[in-house]
Amino acid sequence: AALPSTLLRAERSGDGRLKLVSEPRVYEGDIKSWSKKHGYGFIHCPELQTTFAGRDVYLLAAIAPADIKVSDRVSFKVAVNEKGQPYA
């Protein structure tokens, strides 16, 4: 499925290669899982489920509030890693 143009855009880097760049759109979702021990969790965002084939959005502890917990509602911007997986 094609990604909505409001989510990603192609940009040419200095070496001429194309890369996908996330747009500064803000999404909302709920913390689905969280591991303080492992330093990451996942955000469930129904709006992005179709775009990313059912994947939840990865969230690294370094950018999350210290007191975050499962079921918290969060606002976030999304980017895509080299494997096409979403992260906040």
Side-chain angles (χ1 to χ4, degrees), residues 5-44:
S5 61
T6 56
L7 177 63
L8 299 174
R9 63 183 164 78
E11 184 176 277
R12 197 165 297 280
S13 62
D15 63 3
R17 298 174 66 191
L18 282 177
K19 63 180 181 176
L20 295 177
V21 179
S22 65
E23 292 292 325
R25 181 168 172 204
V26 177
Y27 293 88
E28 288 193 359
D30 299 306
I31 299 298
K32 180 177 181 178
S33 62
W34 184 252
S35 173
K36 189 172 186 176
K37 176 183 174 183
H38 292 104
Y40 69 89
F42 290 92
I43 302 167
H44 176 71

Side-chain angles (χ1 to χ4, degrees), residues 42-74:
F42 290 92
I43 302 167
H44 176 71
C45 178
E47 186 177 357
L48 293 173
Q49 290 280 298
T50 303
T51 303
F52 294 108
R55 289 188 179 273
D56 290 314
V57 180
Y58 178 81
L59 176 62
L60 189 61
I63 64 166
D67 61 346
I68 200 164
K69 61 188 181 308
V70 171
S71 79
D72 281 354
R73 187 81 170 158
V74 294

